[in-house]
Amino acid sequence: DSGVTQTPKHLITATGQRVTLRCSPRSGDLSVYWYQQSLDQGLQFLIQYYNGEERAKGNILERFSAQQFPDLHSELNLSSLELGDSALYFCASSVTGANHEQYFGPGTRLTVT
Amino acid sequence: GESVGLHLPTLSVQEGDNSIINCAYSNSASDYFIWYKQESGKGPQFIIDIRSNMDKRQGQRVTVLLNKTVKHLSLQIAATQPGDSAVYFCAELNYGQNFVFGPGTRLSVLP
């Protein structure tokens, strides 16, 4: 158990809908990272937050947004969902924004039908 | 558990042998590299990292080698055990602070 929690574990929704994925980092970790893992594209970095502020941005679509709250938990919002958004979404945390030893959560499996 | 990358390259090794997993990275400006292990149904797990000013780093039963000349990274696992069976990813961190992951290699440990 990495200490990072993600909810929900599974999510099934229809195209065009909007969902919110939630992540709680390890106690004491200030930075949160979001990743998407699909069979055809592998593991892709989406976005990083550090202490509430966006730190780095990867291959995140405009339909997706994220934020980190004062209690350091983070949410990833996915809107106007498409079939191709079906994937595993992982959250990871690290102590600081410059500390790259990241601890991953168990992931949320999103299925868009 | 979930299957990650059904068509990944696979390395099969005998239990007790050493494993070497290779990775070619893309950006010569990348200055930090990580190896992750992902077991079926779980999130990636940090194994070891290395900065570009080093060419070798050792951990417990693992060694990472970095060859910047040919942009190559390798992970060596000593005395491979059944619990080492997983998909292994390398990741590079480039100047723009974006993590780029390799496609992964599936390690299968034979009894």
Side-chain angles (χ1 to χ4, degrees):
Chain A
D1 184 1
S2 66
V4 177
T5 60
Q6 289 187 247
T7 56
K9 189 171 182 179
H10 299 281
L11 195 51
I12 301 174
T13 189
T15 54
Q17 295 299 304
R18 173 191 167 93
V19 297
T20 298
L21 312 184
R22 195 178 192 278
C23 168
S24 292
R26 289 189 324 155
S27 177
D29 284 1
L30 298 178
S31 197
V32 168
Y33 309 75
W34 285 99
Y35 295 88
Q36 179 192 60
Q37 187 174 43
S38 59
L39 286 177
D40 59 345
Q41 297 223 352
L43 194 62
Q44 296 216 13
F45 167 67
L46 296 178
I47 197 164
Q48 177 198 1
Y49 280 83
Y50 172 69
N51 207 19
E53 300 290 326
E54 182 182 305
R55 172 63 67 98
K57 214 168 201 178
N59 300 319
I60 187 165
L61 300 172
E62 285 192 11
R63 300 184 286 109
F64 297 180
S65 65
Q67 60 185 129
Q68 186 179 27
F69 294 88
D71 67 352
L72 302 176
H73 91 272
S74 179
E75 292 181 355
L76 178 67
N77 301 296
L78 314 176
S79 61
S80 302
L81 285 167
E82 302 174 359
L83 295 177
D85 297 327
S86 296
L88 273 166
Y89 290 84
F90 287 105
C91 167
S93 71
S94 65
V95 173
T96 71
N99 178 348
H100 302 305
E101 185 168 342
Q102 298 176 32
Y103 294 85
F104 279 74
T108 293
R109 162 60 77 181
L110 173 66
T111 301
V112 182
T113 61
Chain B
E2 299 288 351
S3 293
V4 174
L6 294 176
H7 303 292
L8 289 176
T10 298
L11 173 67
S12 296
V13 298
Q14 210 69 38
E15 182 178 353
D17 287 352
N18 297 335
S19 303
I20 300 176
I21 301 170
N22 296 304
C23 176
Y25 64 91
S26 58
N27 191 339
S28 56
S30 292
D31 57 3
Y32 179 76
F33 304 88
I34 308 174
W35 278 101
Y36 287 97
K37 171 186 180 183
Q38 187 174 21
E39 296 174 275
S40 184
K42 297 185 179 179
Q45 176 187 356
F46 176 95
I47 302 174
I48 192 168
D49 59 358
I50 189 168
R51 296 201 176 274
S52 59
N53 60 354
M54 304 171 69
D55 52 22
K56 180 179 180 179
R57 190 163 187 227
Q58 288 185 289
Q60 188 177 10
R61 271 200 316 118
V62 295
T63 300
V64 55
L65 298 177
L66 175 62
N67 185 331
K68 293 181 287 292
T69 303
V70 295
K71 293 190 288 185
H72 183 267
L73 198 65
S74 69
L75 177 71
Q76 300 178 3
I77 304 174
T80 312
Q81 302 168 359
D84 295 327
S85 292
V87 175
Y88 290 80
F89 295 95
C90 67
E92 60 181 300
L93 181 63
N94 62 28
Y95 181 76
Q97 296 291 304
N98 288 339
F99 291 91
V100 178
F101 285 79
T105 297
R106 188 181 305 280
L107 176 65
S108 178
V109 181
L110 307 173

